[in-house]
């Protein structure tokens, strides 16, 4: 049995030979493979955060890399339905549900759309959250949407605060508040530093502002819901409890996986 490729999943990359297994490019019929770079968008796109010649939206290490659930499945075979515990139950049904939910979101982006609900994506390190985000961002760019760069909550707070004091402020001299806030697609990750403890008031502000513009927001976190609620002294996460609301952009859904007996 040949070794499974954890770079392309055995499917090949879109625009180049896979550096791990040598698989040929997946083909030239994809919109993604026709793009000279993933910062390029369709001519009718109204705005991009990054102008020609400046920094890329998608980091070079993630260009041409697309999320594939089989990579996670092959890395976690003991958690799949084919593996049963003594009582005859799935070893980890939450893991399968997590994959199903990510697959649904991924499918929307692949088909040229954007989910109409904001989402918290929560999982431990090593569960492809960043790969997933950049994959969705590349699909969105290929379909002509404006896409914000992936930043963390410290950078987000800096943008919100300084832009309120200086209207022409640009994060790193490139990304303006208006362009960031009005981007069709925004992924943001929770910082791993000490400042993670107050990250959720910043995220709540971002989600609310974008919801008023009719836009969804996608948040990546390695910290479990139990941990988030423990840190949330201001009640910023109360919106997650309002799952019955019809405003899915303001009240996020949660796609979460916590390894058994390892929730912090």
């Amino acid at each position: 049995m040949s070794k499974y490729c954890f770079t392309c999943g055995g499917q090949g990359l879109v625009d180049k030979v896979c550096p791990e297994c040598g698989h040929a490019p997946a083909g030239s019929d994809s919109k993604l493979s026709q793009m000279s770079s993933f910062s390029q968008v369709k001519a009718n796109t109204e705005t991009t955060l990054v102008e020609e010649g400046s920094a890329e939206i998608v980091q070079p290490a993630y260009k041409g890399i697309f999320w594939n659930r089989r990579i996670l499945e092959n890395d976690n075979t003991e958690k799949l339905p084919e593996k049963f515990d003594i009582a005859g139950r799935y070893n980890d049904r939450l893991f399968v549900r997590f994959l199903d939910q990510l697959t649904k979101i991924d499918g929307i982006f692949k088909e040229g759309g954007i989910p109409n609900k904001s989402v918290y994506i929560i999982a431990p390190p090593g569960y492809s959250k960043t790969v997933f985000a950049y994959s969705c961002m590349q699909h969105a760019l290929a379909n002509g949407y404006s896409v914000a760069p992936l930043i963390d909550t410290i950078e987000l707070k800096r943008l919100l605060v300084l832009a309120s004091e200086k209207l022409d402020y640009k994060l790193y001299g490139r990304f303006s508040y208006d362009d960031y806030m009005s981007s069709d697609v925004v992924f943001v990750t929770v910082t791993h530093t000490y400042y993670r403890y107050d990250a959720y008031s910043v995220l709540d502000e971002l989600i609310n502002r974008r919801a008023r513009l009719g836009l969804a927001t996608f948040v990546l976190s390695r910290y479990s819901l139990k941990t988030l609620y423990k840190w949330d002294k201001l009640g910023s996460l109360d919106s997650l409890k309002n799952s019955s609301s019809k405003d899915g952009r303001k009240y996020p859904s949660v796609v979460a996986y916590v390894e058994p007996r390892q929730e912090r």
Side-chain angles (χ1 to χ4, degrees), residues 194-255:
Y194 174 82
Y195 296 98
R196 64 185 180 273
Y197 296 111
D198 62 0
Y200 299 96
S201 59
V202 179
L203 290 171
D204 188 55
E205 188 66 27
L206 172 67
I207 290 170
N208 273 280
R209 292 188 187 188
R210 284 180 52 79
R212 292 197 295 269
L213 298 174
L215 299 168
T217 306
F218 308 96
V219 179
L220 310 178
S221 174
R222 63 169 57 180
Y223 306 106
S224 70
L225 274 179
K226 181 178 178 180
T227 300
L228 304 189
Y229 280 117
K230 183 168 58 178
W231 293 342
D232 182 30
K233 307 300 182 184
L234 300 177
S236 302
L237 288 171
D238 286 346
S239 60
L240 296 182
K241 301 176 182 177
N242 198 347
S243 58
S244 61
S245 171
K246 294 182 180 180
D247 189 353
R249 296 175 178 87
K250 181 177 180 180
Y251 300 105
S253 297
V254 177
V255 175

Side-chain angles (χ1 to χ4, degrees), residues 142-231:
N143 284 284
Y145 293 108
S146 56
V147 178
L150 178 62
I151 63 176
D152 67 25
T153 48
I154 292 180
E155 295 166 307
L156 172 61
K157 184 173 183 179
R158 177 181 168 191
L159 177 62
L160 295 179
V161 172
L162 295 182
S164 68
E165 299 173 351
K166 186 179 180 183
L167 297 181
D168 61 349
Y169 173 78
K170 294 185 177 182
L171 185 64
Y172 301 121
R174 295 191 294 270
F175 313 126
S176 75
Y177 169 88
D178 287 345
D179 283 342
Y180 181 87
M181 197 61 61
S182 62
S183 289
D184 295 318
V185 176
V186 167
F187 279 85
V188 61
T189 183
V190 176
T191 180
H192 307 154
T193 69
Y194 174 82
Y195 296 98
R196 64 185 180 273
Y197 296 111
D198 62 0
Y200 299 96
S201 59
V202 179
L203 290 171
D204 188 55
E205 188 66 27
L206 172 67
I207 290 170
N208 273 280
R209 292 188 187 188
R210 284 180 52 79
R212 292 197 295 269
L213 298 174
L215 299 168
T217 306
F218 308 96
V219 179
L220 310 178
S221 174
R222 63 169 57 180
Y223 306 106
S224 70
L225 274 179
K226 181 178 178 180
T227 300
L228 304 189
Y229 280 117
K230 183 168 58 178
W231 293 342

